Amino acid sequence: MTISPPPGTAEPARAASPLTISEQGAFWVGVGRKPTEAGTAAEAAMYVQFQIPADLRYPLPVVMVHGGGGQGTDYRRSGS
């Protein structure tokens, strides 16, 4: 069974080919250390995760910044 979009609406965009990642990684920036009663805690840090596609199609990267008091690891899938 094929489901078509309602008349007057555009078809969803389709990827030309699968995305191939040439490089990826993660690191922390600006980590400070704060002594607490329970031990040393990290503070004022930013978690950075990146993926570089093999086929660069656009001149500028996509940058996603989390908010709301969480940390950058919020974007990671569980178990990864």
Side-chain angles (χ1 to χ4, degrees):
M1 173 182 200
T2 303
I3 300 174
S4 300
T9 61
E11 294 252 355
R14 307 223 186 256
S17 61
L19 178 64
T20 303
I21 302 297
S22 68
E23 185 178 349
Q24 67 181 6
F27 56 91
W28 290 89
V29 177
V31 177
R33 303 208 184 281
K34 178 180 181 179
T36 69
E37 291 179 13
T40 302
E43 69 175 355
M46 178 175 66
Y47 176 78
V48 178
Q49 183 176 1
F50 66 92
Q51 292 183 319
I52 301 173
D55 177 21
L56 294 176
R57 299 177 189 170
Y58 303 98
L60 300 174
V62 172
V63 177
M64 297 182 348
V65 179
H66 72 88
Q71 59 180 349
T73 57
D74 295 341
Y75 288 124
R76 297 189 69 174
R77 295 182 316 147
S78 63
S80 56

